[in-house]
Amino acid sequence: LDQWGVMHNGKNGYKHTIDCVEKIFNKKNKIIIISNSSVRKKITIERLPKLGFDPIFFNEVMTSGEMVWRYLKDKNDSFIKKLNNCYFIYDETKKYSQDFILGLNNYNFVKNLEDADFILGTSVNSKLKTIDFLPILIEALKKNIPFICGNPDYETLDYKNHGLAVMEMSHRSKEFVSIAEQAKHDFIDL
């Protein structure tokens, strides 16, 4: 199962999914959560009861954040073996976001981009917009600094408290048209 939009809306589990997961579990079927969330597996499992799910119903949890963490921790890949100094982009308002780097002892986490040989991006403060990172990304591009992304989608399910992800909105809705217009203006400004 995917998490966002299938199991929950970021705040509450969907009753029909909670019931369905329990029925699947009771029939002795295996259930795996696969998500592009930037959080680690442990955080995802700890959060399940708050969303109305019993963690014992799930055989495995895999998030993109967990995959990135393991990739960095193992350092088996020739690309990763060359990397040592990390400029870490995360949501400083959330402890789990800051804790993402725990155990990644083979890296130096630097405060200045000019000291980095790669950027790790997991989550960002919700008060920031994607365009706010443009100066960092342009500088990284000039210096050929690679970016490892722990969360491939920036906008989450509950877009501005509408209860829907952008992808779920009708392309004719007022909200979607507004997003498209803003993207067009941002692109022209660029």
Side-chain angles (χ1 to χ4, degrees), residues 70-139:
R70 289 181 186 184
Y71 181 64
L72 291 168
K73 174 79 173 160
D74 294 344
K75 248 189 168 181
N76 290 331
D77 183 281
S78 61
F79 169 73
I80 289 295
K81 286 179 182 179
K82 299 174 193 172
L83 305 178
N84 296 301
N85 298 317
C86 176
Y87 183 82
F88 184 37
I89 297 173
Y90 63 97
D91 184 348
E92 62 282 345
T93 67
K94 295 189 171 112
K95 184 169 177 3
Y96 69 80
S97 184
Q98 298 170 35
D99 289 349
F100 184 89
I101 61 173
L102 295 177
L104 297 178
N105 302 326
N106 293 327
Y107 301 94
N108 302 312
F109 291 90
V110 299
K111 299 287 182 197
N112 298 311
L113 184 61
E114 50 273 358
D115 298 328
D117 50 30
F118 77 105
I119 298 171
L120 170 61
T122 55
S123 57
V124 294
N125 187 311
S126 61
K127 293 181 175 134
L128 298 174
K129 296 180 181 178
T130 305
I131 200 155
D132 295 330
F133 293 93
L134 202 54
I136 293 170
L137 298 175
I138 289 171
E139 189 63 28

